[in-house]
Amino acid sequence: MDVFTDVLVAVSAYLSDLGAAITLPFLIAVFGLILGQRLPQAIRAGLLIGIGFIGINLIITLMAEQVGPAAEGIVQNLGVDLRTIDVGWPSSAAIAFGSTIGAVIIPLGLLVNIVLLSTGLTRTFNIDLWNFWHFALVGALVAAVTDSFWLGVAAAAIHIVVVLALADLSAPWVQKYFGFPEISFPHGTSAPYIALAAPMNWVFDRIPGFNRLEADPAAIQKRFGVFGEAIILGFVLGLLLGIFGFGFDDPRGDSIAILTLAVSLAAVMLLLPRMVSVLMEGLIPISESAQAFVKKRFPGRKFYIGLDSAVAVGQPAVLATSLVLVPVTVLVAIALAPMGNTVLPLVDLATIPFIVAIMVPIFRGNIVRSVIGGAIVIGLGLFIATATAAQFTSIAAGAGFELPEGASQISSLVDGANPLTGLFFGAAGLGGWTIAVLGVLALAFAWWVSRVEKRRDAARLAAERSESEAAGQT
């Protein structure tokens, strides 16, 4: 048993070191071969996806390096005590894979996914194995709270069920808005926010005046012309963030830092969509092959390919919303400090696009709605991150993670502030029996989503028949 565990730990550590930019291309190439693609086609698709991910990560890293110091400057200038440091998703992933749950998460995730596919409780086949770390992190938190490895494993499995169901539920929005046929996002960061965005959008639709506000990128650019372009928005936000973060104590040095930040954010607005287009060039042939494979071998059944929501972060409304939310998030964290928030958003400010990736389609690309909705969910999430910080820090120490200098506790905006993290953490605090209750509720939720999907299919087929009959009559 020890040898088996050691092997699993070694595999998890290796995948963590490789990262998504290496792991996913290999899996995509293998998946392409299974779908019947020729070897050169499969290799090309995998490499393009890998290149796209490397480009996306480089740009997000650039954004994090530029935005983090400005955010720290704003907090210091206002004299607010935010002692829990946001170490970002790369550290969170390393911590998750380095935990005891991380050692078994990949075989566990594949097993749960296959069982749900075979029973019809999901349509999503999640090939984004590297991002299984999200499930491992939640499992590790539950294991730490309950002092039980097996309850942690159970929580990770239940988390997978919930995220797959949310991916199925949000798939129509994702496919229609982004133009991704047969794709879903079973991403631990993005998927949970459908549960908050959908009711908020229902409320927004019923606010007189506000429900008629057009604020998608096209409408904004039409109203403001060149000043509504994405790169101008990035530049202006960079200037404002830099001015408030760096000030002018050192006119020469601070002006350089401000202008560098402004041009860097303008570059992010231009380059990130282009990197996503490279990634999509590799993804589209795989998606087409998958559709043909399913239609031939499973007539009458429908499957989605589960992918990293990184494929959506370059969409103009997602990117614009995220940049506006960078300073808003810092201000929200400061405003909530007297109410108990201790988290200083830093590294994960650059990964806000993953938080809003599914929210934006639900808000129909409306940037104003997306910013308001994003600010609300992030504000609530900061309290979750504060509540889980002690256990998060304990898990990090157990995985060998060294705390940043001067930090007493750490957390993450991406997963530490996630609503599902809060749900599982809160349930575990009530006792181990609550994990069993969550398991029953998760399966019931997956069953309900499968019924919703069938009703959607029936409505779509009825609409297609009506269109066909109308065309025949003309």
Side-chain angles (χ1 to χ4, degrees):
M1 184 68 178
D2 289 339
V3 174
F4 180 66
T5 303
D6 290 343
V7 170
L8 290 177
V9 170
V11 170
S12 294
Y14 185 64
L15 287 174
S16 177
D17 292 341
L18 284 178
I22 307 300
T23 304
L24 190 57
F26 173 76
L27 295 172
I28 288 290
V30 172
F31 190 50
L33 292 173
I34 294 172
L35 294 174
Q37 287 191 328
R38 296 195 304 273
L39 182 61
Q41 288 179 313
I43 291 175
R44 183 178 186 275
L47 285 175
L48 281 171
I49 289 173
I51 292 166
F53 264 102
I54 288 173
I56 290 170
N57 286 333
L58 286 172
I59 295 167
I60 287 178
T61 300
L62 168 68
M63 184 175 169
E65 290 174 347
Q66 293 294 324
V67 167
E72 283 187 286
I74 293 174
V75 172
Q76 290 173 1
N77 291 338
L78 293 176
V80 180
D81 180 23
L82 298 175
R83 57 187 177 277
T84 302
I85 303 301
D86 165 24
V87 294
W89 72 266
S91 298
S92 301
I95 292 166
F97 274 130
S99 69
T100 54
I101 309 300
V104 299
I105 195 59
I106 290 178
L108 175 68
L110 287 172
L111 177 62
V112 171
N113 198 174
I114 291 169
V115 169
L116 292 179
L117 283 169
S118 62
T119 56
L121 288 179
T122 189
R123 295 183 175 186
T124 294
F125 177 43
N126 188 3
I127 63 173
D128 186 21
L129 302 189
W130 192 85
N131 271 309
F132 281 18
W133 71 262
H134 295 281
F135 312 130
L137 187 63
V138 166
L141 274 172
V142 171
V145 173
T146 61
D147 196 25
S148 169
F149 168 78
W150 292 110
L151 283 176
V153 170
I158 296 166
H159 189 208
I160 293 167
V161 173
V162 175
V163 169
L164 287 171
L166 289 168
D168 286 350
L169 189 62
S170 60
W173 282 297
V174 167
Q175 293 166 9
K176 180 179 180 181
Y177 186 77
F178 295 114
F180 299 159
E182 312 307 322
I183 296 297
S184 67
F185 292 154
H187 193 278
T189 297
S190 304
Y193 290 101
I194 179 181
L196 299 175
M200 278 194 289
N201 195 55
W202 184 88
V203 172
F204 291 156
D205 280 339
R206 283 154 182 79
I207 299 176
F210 187 79
N211 57 7
R212 293 194 299 273
L213 177 65
E214 294 184 7
D216 59 273
I220 290 174
Q221 187 166 350
K222 182 179 179 181
R223 178 172 298 179
F224 296 102
V226 68
F227 294 103
E229 288 187 14
I231 59 172
I232 303 298
L233 173 63
F235 183 79
V236 171
L237 284 173
L239 282 178
L240 293 174
L241 191 59
I243 290 170
F244 287 107
F246 300 122
F248 287 102
D249 293 335
D250 174 12
R252 183 179 184 278
D254 291 337
S255 62
I256 291 173
I258 292 168
L259 291 172
T260 300
L261 174 58
V263 175
S264 295
L265 292 191
V268 167
M269 295 294 282
L270 179 67
L271 295 176
L272 194 54
R274 298 192 180 184
M275 289 300 101
V276 172
S277 69
V278 173
L279 189 151
M280 290 305 300
E281 186 179 344
L283 178 62
I284 288 172
I286 294 291
S287 177
E288 292 173 346
S289 296
Q291 291 178 57
F293 183 90
V294 169
K295 287 179 181 178
K296 181 179 179 180
R297 290 168 177 79
F298 303 97
R301 289 203 63 184
K302 194 171 185 178
F303 293 96
Y304 304 140
I305 302 173
L307 292 178
D308 191 329
S309 52
V311 300
V313 299
Q315 198 275 339
V318 173
L319 198 48
T321 297
S322 304
L323 278 190
V324 174
L325 277 172
V326 167
V328 169
T329 296
V330 176
L331 294 176
V332 167
I334 292 170
L336 295 179
M339 300 170 63
N341 171 52
T342 66
V343 178
L344 171 60
L346 281 178
V347 180
D348 272 342
L349 287 172
T351 52
I352 290 176
F354 293 86
I355 294 176
V356 301
I358 291 180
M359 298 179 68
V360 169
I362 293 172
F363 293 134
R364 299 185 293 275
N366 188 303
I367 295 173
V368 173
R369 291 191 183 199
S370 300
V371 169
I372 294 172
I376 292 171
V377 301
I378 290 173
L380 294 173
L382 288 171
F383 290 115
I384 296 173
T386 297
T388 59
Q391 293 294 352
F392 193 102
T393 306
S394 175
I395 294 168
F401 182 83
E402 294 185 7
L403 297 186
E405 185 178 351
S408 59
Q409 290 185 335
I410 61 172
S411 190
S412 149
L413 198 62
V414 160
D415 271 55
N418 193 286
L420 282 185
T421 301
L423 174 64
F424 279 88
F425 180 81
L430 297 175
W433 62 271
T434 56
I435 303 303
V437 173
L438 285 181
V440 173
L441 293 175
L443 290 172
F445 177 59
W447 177 85
W448 176 77
V449 171
S450 69
R451 303 280 80 77
V452 171
E453 289 282 86
K454 288 182 178 180
R455 289 197 294 271
R456 286 171 172 170
D457 290 342
R460 184 175 61 254
L461 289 173
E464 290 175 354
R465 280 197 298 266
S466 298
E467 290 177 4
S468 178
E469 291 172 359
Q473 292 175 357
T474 57

